[in-house]
Amino acid sequence: MKMNVSDIFYNVLKEKSNPKIKLIGDSITHGVGGTGWNQNGNVIVKGWAESPDGYSWANLLRDYMKEKYGATVVNKACTGTNIEFVTNHFSELVDPDDDLIICTIGTNNRDQNFSDGEKPQKEVFLQKLYEKIKVMYGVFEKSGIPTVFMANIPAADRNEQDGTYFWRILHMSDINECYKKLARECGANVLSLYDLFSDYCRENNICIDELLFDGLHPNDKGYKLMFDLLIKAFAI
């Protein structure tokens, strides 16, 4: 059943004395772009490790939740991964005793490599992406663990262009709309960090690129803003 994200946090913090919160996602949750990012922590899955000391919204949340609520936040985000990765590695990323999951994935599902065939129509590519999101959602639902899906922040225009070896078929706004559609059609608990971040920049006359390290990944200011927006949205 769809709930307000703040109610989900309230229920978990009320029912659990030392709740365990799991973060799942790609490079933006992993902390790429923040000062000190380095995969020098515990192994997540083969090829990826945690970045326990870098400056990121995830590590800010970890420290905040530990100090204020005695909660344990474990970050299993893996840079460069996509929706299919989360679906296929769910049992390695999620533990049965997790009390809450925050999943922020989809940034790396915007492209198609030239080597993978002809350039697809955007509408077809977008529908296939939505179907992948629904399959992933079904896996999370089956686990029975309360989950908040977050649509990630916007990228700079320069990151929304075709690359040397790929077409940028979709944009971050498309990922945002897919998750909103998931909320409407499937009752998923969705928070649009894309909208929160965009609205803040517009209302405060801030160019989004000022908060990004490389046009996609946040810099320290961007990660601090993400953290502040999430704390407010989660009412914690």
Side-chain angles (χ1 to χ4, degrees):
M1 180 179 66
K2 183 179 178 181
M3 297 179 63
N4 187 295
V5 294
S6 61
D7 291 336
I8 296 173
F9 266 83
Y10 174 81
N11 289 340
V12 169
L13 294 173
K14 180 181 178 181
E15 296 171 3
K16 306 290 182 177
S17 57
N18 300 107
K20 182 180 177 183
I21 301 171
K22 180 65 58 65
L23 308 183
I24 295 175
D26 49 40
S27 55
I28 296 177
T29 302
H30 208 171
V32 174
T35 298
W37 181 78
N38 185 15
Q39 296 190 72
N40 59 348
N42 296 327
V43 173
I44 301 172
V45 297
K46 185 178 180 180
W48 288 271
E50 297 174 12
S51 176
D53 305 316
Y55 194 93
S56 66
W57 75 261
N59 286 347
L60 290 170
L61 182 67
R62 175 198 64 194
D63 296 343
Y64 176 87
M65 294 299 293
K66 185 67 174 179
E67 180 178 355
K68 187 170 183 179
Y69 298 103
T72 299
V73 175
V74 178
N75 187 2
K76 295 296 184 181
C78 298
T79 184
T81 57
N82 56 19
I83 291 166
E84 300 93 311
F85 177 89
V86 171
T87 301
N88 295 333
H89 292 82
F90 182 84
S91 62
E92 298 169 81
L93 301 172
V94 175
D95 297 310
D97 62 344
D98 287 336
D99 298 305
L100 173 64
I101 304 170
I102 303 174
C103 180
T104 316
I105 195 73
T107 302
N108 297 312
N109 285 88
R110 295 176 292 161
D111 315 331
Q112 177 175 301
N113 293 332
F114 298 156
S115 59
D116 290 337
E118 296 183 359
K119 183 177 182 179
Q121 293 182 343
K122 179 176 179 177
E123 294 76 13
V124 174
F125 197 81
L126 186 60
Q127 182 59 34
K128 288 183 178 180
L129 170 62
Y130 181 61
E131 294 301 323
K132 292 176 183 178
I133 291 176
K134 286 204 299 183
V135 170
M136 178 184 67
Y137 170 71
V139 173
F140 279 84
E141 278 290 281
K142 188 176 180 180
S143 75
I145 301 171
T147 301
V148 175
F149 295 93
M150 296 203 305
N152 223 328
I153 64 172
D157 289 342
R158 58 194 170 100
N159 184 262
E160 298 281 30
Q161 310 300 319
D162 293 342
T164 305
Y165 304 106
F166 64 84
W167 291 293
R168 186 79 82 198
I169 308 298
L170 303 178
H171 304 301
M172 294 304 291
S173 58
D174 297 311
I175 308 301
N176 185 40
E177 291 305 316
C178 276
Y179 277 105
K180 289 182 176 180
K181 184 178 180 181
L182 185 74
R184 292 193 305 270
E185 295 190 350
C186 301
N189 304 306
V190 170
L191 176 65
S192 176
L193 194 50
Y194 181 98
D195 287 350
L196 294 176
F197 203 90
S198 299
D199 291 347
Y200 180 91
C201 289
R202 183 179 61 255
E203 292 166 2
N204 291 276
N205 197 30
I206 297 173
C207 176
I208 288 174
D209 214 2
E210 295 177 18
L211 300 173
L212 302 177
F213 173 74
D214 55 6
L216 176 65
H217 304 99
N219 54 28
D220 289 357
K221 289 183 179 179
Y223 276 127
K224 180 59 166 60
L225 176 58
M226 290 178 71
F227 168 74
D228 290 340
L229 293 171
L230 290 176
I231 290 300
K232 183 177 181 180
F234 295 152
I236 53 176

